[in-house]
Amino acid sequence: MSAPAESKMGIGGLLRRLLPFVTPYRWLLVATLTLTFLGSLMAQVNAVVLDRAVDRINALLHLEGGFQWSEAARILLVISSILLGKEVLAALVTFGQRIFGEKIRIHVSRDLSLRVVDRILTFRMAYFSLDGNEPGKLQTRIDRGIMSLSNTVKNFFIDILPLFTSAVLALVLMYAANVYVGLVATAIIPVYFWITALQGRRMKGWRHRVFGTHQQLSHGILNIIESMGVIKSFNRQRVEAAKQAALQEQSTEQQMQTRRISFLYEGLKTFVEQIGTVLIIILTAYLVLIDYPGMSIGKIMYHVMLFANVSAPIRQLHRIYDDLNDALVYAEGFFGILSADQEVETSGTYRGPGIQKSETSSQKSVQGRFELRHVEFTYPSGTHALRDLTMTIEPGRTTALVGLSGAGKSTIVNLLDKFYQPDSGTITLDGIPLQEWDTQVLRENIGLVLQKNHIFSGTIEDNIRYGRPDATHEEVLEAARRAYIYDQVVALPDGFGSNALQLSGGQQQRIAIARMFLKDPPIIFLDEPTASLDAIATEQIKNSIDAIKQGRTVVVISHNIGQIIDSDMLYVLDTGHCVQSGSPAEVYRQGGLYKDIFDASARSMNVDKIAMTTGISE
Ligand code: ADP
């Protein structure tokens, strides 16, 4: 991912959008804030105690009747009990405040993830083919968004708020003791802000550049691991290592540069802070010397300690500034996902003939007659995939879609499953426009087997049961038998409890087919179902598909001539147009694209030699 762009969302906007996620924890918030306030009060105790102690000890030294050990011991006892007592209490308060603050952060982070998952599950497929919504990018946007938003919550409640409350309290105490000292302490603050702003300006862009290089580096390493076979077979180890070395060089330089800038400004800030402390010492000492009312030696310590509390949060300003900037950038991408209302899949209410909205339609009520009239379709990326397409898919029959790669065959299946809406033209199922169908009911009636594997991490049994969650163990086994995968699965050490991702491509394909057997839908779409299978498995699958085809509407996309010639009806597609249609024999007689594909396929299979070979054995 490239470094994120500057954000358009302001801090106000960010907090407004974050607020609904924090409000459910308002009581926790009140508790945290109360503890924060208590903690801030306690942070001032040292200064107050030291002030009193110094003055008492000083008075004791100048006592007319002479120094008394008993009085000194009493003072020391009181001081140590107050300080120790306060430390114990402060430790408890800090613990409570941190644990509550963390609890809010963890819960907000969980709620943000849940909301975004709920949200993306409702999106139309088109959303995922938009530029910038590729899986990796979407995942980074979600991860980064959740991380930086929950960090904002943490920064606010755990880091900033206690420090700032303590700073304000310390400043109030300083003013109350002596206005001049208060003014000197206040005068240092704008200098800090100014240095922080300068630092922010110098660092601008560097953090994001560092982040961008870091992403490239980890992406590069991932690429190397994924392409290890290719790298080794082409002996390109040195080339790959050199690419990484160049990136590492860049990353090292960037990191050093950011560190240099950051240390320079941190040093400057410490220097200013020291100047502040020195000024306070000089001023308070002077006031003590001129015997200014209310000033005593104890007050010198008092103000120096309070000033440390005032400057503590200001030193953190830069980090907070950076984190907030990040949060603004990533929050925009994240909340963009939550508010993409136009991307939510629309659903009709039709649930089948004579079915009320609240009822579940019986599968048998769907016939499976699809009619497409003058359908035009363009992918969000701009690919015009279907042009003026008109075709009818007869119920209870097998229709094959034939054409070269990229002709639009899979796109038709995508439209029939309502993954995408056509730009214009109509698609009806059993005479009802597809958009009026309840999407869930429609998809309950369709079984889809794609060329690509769609196996989830989990056991083989769970993967098959995905087709029908309430299926019994016996039904799962039966489905596996019908998909010709049973014997191979039981031979595995963990049988049906094995991890499905360990299966080969062809075996995974049969798991997907078993899943469809279990679902037992009246309409079946097969998109190159045997593309990754060996010859024996292809034949087995063909047999089991032949069995399940009976009485169902089947649309099959295949490059396998053996599967195509078995169909009742054939549509030949060329760059989104339907160029031929009819029964396989009819279409072959017409000549044209189908004949070309058919003949090329027969030639590539070396049919003559196959015939000779099989002839020899006879
Ligand atoms: P076929 O199944 O006949 O091989 P497809 O229906 O997959 O062809 O593709 C038709 C055209 O649409 C191709 O040009 C392909 O690149 C494009 N296409 C397919 N899927 C997408 C998608 N998700 N986003 C953008 N373009 C796509």
Side-chain angles (χ1 to χ4, degrees), residues 1 55 72 79 82 127 149 160 165 208 237 298 384 386 391 493:
M1 201 190 92
D55 286 347
I79 295 175
I82 294 180
Y127 180 81
L149 284 171
I160 312 178
T165 325
H208 287 163
Q237 290 92 328
H384 195 162
L386 298 180
M391 62 165 66

Side-chain angles (χ1 to χ4, degrees), residues 129 379 381 383 385 404-411 420:
S129 18
Y379 277 104
S381 61
T383 309
L404 303 177
S405 269
K409 306 178 295 290
S410 306
T411 305
Y420 295 89

Side-chain angles (χ1 to χ4, degrees), residues 210-226:
V210 170
F211 173 68
T213 312
H214 184 72
Q215 294 267 320
Q216 274 179 328
L217 269 173
S218 45
H219 183 68
I221 294 174
L222 202 70
N223 243 345
I224 289 181
I225 297 171
E226 280 176 347

Side-chain angles (χ1 to χ4, degrees), residues 42 80-96:
M42 275 188 259
S80 32
S81 4
I82 294 180
L83 289 183
L84 286 179
K86 177 227 117 186
E87 280 311 320
V88 171
L89 219 63
L92 289 176
V93 166
T94 310
F95 176 78

Side-chain angles (χ1 to χ4, degrees), residues 45-86:
V45 168
N46 280 5
V48 176
V49 169
L50 217 65
D51 169 32
R52 297 285 153 87
V54 169
D55 286 347
R56 288 278 163 85
I57 292 169
N58 198 26
L60 196 64
L61 288 174
H62 300 98
L63 212 63
E64 295 208 339
F67 177 78
Q68 288 175 0
W69 273 109
S70 60
E71 181 58 15
R74 200 188 63 82
I75 294 175
L76 287 177
L77 192 71
V78 172
I79 295 175
S80 32
S81 4
I82 294 180
L83 289 183
L84 286 179
K86 177 227 117 186

